[in-house]
Amino acid sequence: MNYGAIMLSTALVAGVALAQSPADRLSLKEPHLAVVPRSGAEAARIQAVTAPPSDFGTAQPFEANQGGAGTVRRRDDGQAFSLPQNDLTFEQQSDFAVGNGLFERLWVTAPSSTIASDGLGPMFNTRSCQDCHIKDGRGHAPQGPGDDAGSLVVRLGLPLRDDPTAANDLDLYLGAHPDPVYGHQFSDNSVPGTASEGKVSVTWAHADAVALPGDERVSLRRPEWSLDDLGYGPLDPRTRISPRVAPQMIGLGLIEAIPTADILSHADPDDLDGDGVSGRAHVVWSPEYERPMLGRFGVRATTPTLRQQAADAFNADIGIASPLRRDPAGDCTEAQVACRAGPHGLDPEQGGFEVSDESLDLVTFYTGRLGVPRRARVDDPEVLRGKQVFHAARCTACHVPTFVTHRLEDRPEHSFQLIWPYSDFLLHDMGPGLADGLPAGQATGSEWRTPPLWGIGLTEETSGHRQFLHDGRARSLTEAILWHGGEAQAARDRFASLSADDRAAILAFLESL
């Protein structure tokens, strides 16, 4: 099923003017949020509290509470990212627990006596949300024989054009056509009676070592991906692949509550200030609200809301139909006849879907209220010095420290919160080293959304590994920084020129997040 074509036809039906660019069509109103407008006095307070610090000798007020009032205690075990926000009511905690159960649910093949849990596949990547987002943390890339790609997905596509930003019509919402046989996403598992699409494997090629001051040498590794044992013939020779590991899940509801205007205020697509950083908003089409919206979620900011993110993942990753993604065959294409004719779990008791509207809402509630852990060592002199060096190196040009969320009538737990995600949620060209060549909407194959850094210091405790970047290639934070290119090249070079003590201070600061 070509969801891009569905979105395009929906846009045409909605009567959107083709002569406008996507940015021109973007409204600052968020249709899924009950927003209370800010007063002038509140706007002034927000400007003051989010201004860059002038004194790095002490921690800023409330800096330890990265997730605002909902910040949770910092744990050093596998549950660090699985706690509910600290400001939920008793009733909300109950909804959180039910949503958690659905997030962990193992889906089975239909028909089954457990109609609320059947409908898996026919092709899929994992049987549950938790299988990919293990302990709500980061996934990992395969490390060798016997290590499967369970917490990694591979997106597929045929680019519509060399430069997705060049067109001025609605097809730039699509970015890439699906592979004519394998669709938009590679499925390495399937139910009995249906062949899977194949297996994902990777070999690691080592790049030249990078010499850093202080006699440190860092060897970078580059992944070489392959799709093996293809079950439906060869891929189209024009198809590009984009592997990416599952991201951590904390703070997503707070991200959704950041005003669109505040994110756009950091965009500088034409680099008018001349600093070499030209972040731009990713305007995407919302099939739920039939309008352009700001993309916030996903490695290329392709999704505007958490509810759509949940529906997309149910459908593409598990093969589950919901009110927002109605096809029970998931990503199976018309060329995959057995898959299209395979068993499904559509049921009247689920509203005619495999996951009901209510269940989709509960999963969305859960993913939107996973608490952000408290910062560590905010007053430590080395951490404070690392923070200062982080600012001086201009890392904050993309990793914007703070935002204040909307005032929300129906979501007090996300309302008017000072948060510290360290991201601008914009697209940036990260250079050829990280490029995969697969566009997504307006995002080119070398553009990525700035990932939030909160919680990055707990990656090993939560996920049991230290893999970073979108495909897990970096084995340390130093490697992750050294892979930065394009708009981030200058900041990367500043880091690479620092003394060993200053590099250690930056790493101490990042580990405190």
Side-chain angles (χ1 to χ4, degrees), residues 105-383:
R105 172 175 289 174
L106 292 174
W107 292 84
V108 298
T109 308
S112 166
S113 60
T114 55
I115 59 173
S117 301
D118 69 5
L120 176 69
M123 289 193 285
F124 59 96
N125 296 115
T126 62
R127 291 181 57 200
S128 77
C129 307
Q130 187 74 228
D131 281 350
C132 202
H133 302 277
I134 301 169
K135 296 182 180 178
D136 305 298
R138 289 181 54 82
H140 67 279
Q143 295 305 293
D147 185 3
D148 64 19
S151 57
L152 171 143
V153 299
V154 178
R155 299 292 290 173
L156 310 170
L158 284 68
L160 296 178
R161 63 190 69 81
D162 292 333
D163 180 6
T165 67
N168 191 31
D169 53 37
L170 277 172
D171 73 356
L172 53 72
Y173 283 118
L174 311 184
H177 287 305
D179 181 90
V181 174
Y182 290 89
H184 284 292
Q185 186 163 306
F186 193 74
S187 298
D188 52 357
N189 286 298
S190 60
V191 303
T194 301
S196 71
E197 291 183 329
K199 298 299 178 186
V200 180
S201 62
V202 61
T203 57
W204 299 99
H206 287 272
D208 293 338
V210 180
L212 300 175
D215 296 325
E216 181 180 0
R217 293 180 65 82
V218 180
S219 178
L220 304 182
R221 64 176 188 173
R222 181 187 303 276
E224 296 178 353
W225 299 94
S226 64
L227 304 179
D228 305 325
D229 303 327
L230 295 177
Y232 298 87
L235 293 167
D236 187 292
R238 299 167 294 167
T239 293
R240 312 281 178 84
I241 70 171
S242 178
R244 64 278 301 264
V245 298
Q248 64 187 31
M249 301 292 292
I250 57 173
L252 299 182
L254 293 166
I255 294 170
E256 190 172 55
I258 298 172
T260 295
D262 289 1
I263 293 176
L264 295 182
S265 71
H266 295 282
D268 185 16
D270 299 317
D271 192 21
L272 296 179
D273 62 6
D275 68 350
V277 178
S278 53
R280 62 192 186 92
H282 196 181
V283 183
V284 300
W285 185 259
S286 167
E288 182 176 10
Y289 294 101
E290 296 190 343
R291 62 188 296 172
M293 293 180 67
L294 176 66
R296 300 168 186 252
F297 304 105
V299 295
R300 289 198 161 109
T302 49
T303 312
T305 68
L306 281 177
R307 193 167 189 267
Q308 183 179 324
Q309 182 87 339
D312 290 350
F314 266 125
N315 201 248
D317 301 349
I318 311 178
I320 297 294
S322 73
L324 295 188
R325 290 289 186 242
R326 297 169 176 261
D327 190 346
D331 191 50
C332 296
T333 66
E334 298 299 331
Q336 296 168 326
V337 177
C339 183
R340 301 294 310 172
H344 63 75
L346 300 180
D347 190 271
E349 292 190 25
Q350 305 302 316
F353 306 105
E354 292 171 322
V355 61
S356 68
D357 196 73
E358 179 184 13
S359 293
L360 183 62
D361 284 343
L362 284 165
V363 170
T364 304
F365 186 92
Y366 170 76
T367 60
R369 287 154 182 84
L370 285 161
V372 179
R374 184 176 174 84
R375 275 276 308 275
R377 302 168 56 202
V378 292
D379 293 312
D380 184 286
E382 184 180 33
V383 170

